Amino acid sequence: MGKEKSRYNDLNAKKKILELYDKKLAELNIPSKSFYEESKYGQTHIILAGDKTKPPVVLLHGSNAGAPIALEPMTKLLENNCIYAVDMPGQPNKSAEGIIPMKGDHYGKWLNDILERLR
C-alpha cells in the first residue's frame, strides 16, 4: 500500500534532511519529546510539545515538510494547549519512508489510525 518506494534518492540526502529537521526543532527552543506510533502505513513520528494536562491540538504539516516546520508558527498555542505535531509518512521527515498515494482515502485512514492511538 505505497510502502515500497522511498522519498530519498540516497542515504546522504536522507542524512542531510534529517539534520535540518533536528536543527529546526532545536531552534524552536521549546520543551518537547519525540515518540513513534504504529499505523497501517508504518511508523509515525510525533513531537509532543507543551503540558499534557492542557487541551490537545493535533498539527499536520504540508507536503514535502515535517513537523518542526508546521510547529514553528504555532508555538503561541502552547500557552493554553499541548501540541501533537505529527510527521506524515512518505514525506521528508522521521516517519515511515514509503510514499502513500495522494489520491483516495489513504491519508485519512492513516490519520484515523494515529488519532485512535493518541486517544
Side-chain angles (χ1 to χ4, degrees), residues 89-109:
Q91 301 297 316
N93 57 47
K94 294 185 175 186
S95 284
E97 294 178 30
I99 297 171
I100 297 175
M102 296 295 260
K103 291 184 179 181
D105 60 359
H106 302 286
Y107 274 104
K109 288 180 179 178

Side-chain angles (χ1 to χ4, degrees), residues 59-72:
L59 184 61
L60 302 173
H61 58 79
S63 185
N64 285 324
I69 299 296
L71 189 54
E72 183 175 28

Side-chain angles (χ1 to χ4, degrees), residues 10-28:
D10 61 51
L11 289 177
N12 198 32
K14 178 180 177 178
K15 181 180 179 229
K16 286 180 182 179
I17 287 171
L18 294 179
E19 285 172 356
L20 288 170
Y21 180 107
D22 290 337
K23 181 179 178 188
K24 173 53 78 180
L25 183 57
E27 287 172 357
L28 296 179

